[in-house]
Amino acid sequence: MPLTPPSGHISDRAACLALGLVACAMVVAGVLLGEALRLNPCPLCIFQRLLYLAIGAGALLAASARPLRPWGLWIALMAALGGIATAGYQSWLQWMADPALDCGFGPPNLIEQGVEWLGERWPRLFLATGFCSSKEWEFLGLSIAHWSLLSYAGYTALITWTARRSLRG
């Protein structure tokens, strides 16, 4: 099946493939950036990695077969919306900078427990060692959480556009 239809526009399959590969590349870039700059990812950062992987998996599932496309796009969209909520919350934590609200303060919540479990099994990818309210790195005045929020908003828009186009045709 060709990736571009005769009209010259990108096919739905190619769009899903690109969304999935870029989401997976975001995880790789995050790990490499963290190692290069010696950043300490927090539980919310690691959870966002999981959400990028879910976007990637959903989009690649959508690219794999037309009957699976609605399910894959639904998975990717739910992960992107979860990413908006998570990155938005982390951005708010960074803005508030109140230690009582930070991750790791008090008993661990479900996200922190899941991240801790994954960190024990795959520490290179999922070990959380930082605080959610710290801004260890900024670019153009925005923290990684802010850039991630913008990225998730972009994913939400692109996945919605792809789904509407795919379900019409």
Side-chain angles (χ1 to χ4, degrees), residues 68-82:
L68 297 175
R69 189 161 298 145
W71 294 104
L73 289 171
W74 184 83
I75 291 167
L77 181 62
M78 292 300 106
L81 292 172

Side-chain angles (χ1 to χ4, degrees), residues 25-137:
M26 295 276 290
V27 172
V28 171
V31 170
L32 294 176
L33 181 69
E35 288 184 9
L37 299 176
R38 297 181 186 236
L39 303 175
N40 296 311
C42 70
L44 291 178
C45 297
I46 299 299
F47 187 65
Q48 288 177 65
R49 279 186 192 169
L50 288 169
L51 293 171
Y52 280 119
L53 290 172
I55 290 170
L60 293 175
L61 178 67
S64 69
R66 183 131 178 88
L68 297 175
R69 189 161 298 145
W71 294 104
L73 289 171
W74 184 83
I75 291 167
L77 181 62
M78 292 300 106
L81 292 172
I84 287 174
T86 305
Y89 177 65
Q90 185 176 5
S91 296
W92 179 77
L93 283 176
Q94 291 175 351
W95 178 66
M96 290 299 292
D98 183 357
L101 299 173
D102 210 349
C103 297
F105 189 82
N109 62 32
L110 191 57
I111 289 175
E112 292 169 332
Q113 290 173 5
V115 166
E116 184 178 334
W117 182 84
L118 286 169
E120 290 171 358
R121 278 135 189 88
W122 299 286
R124 188 166 185 116
L125 188 59
F126 298 118
L127 184 63
T129 57
F131 296 101
C132 296
S133 62
S134 73
K135 294 187 252 183
E136 293 186 3
W137 182 82

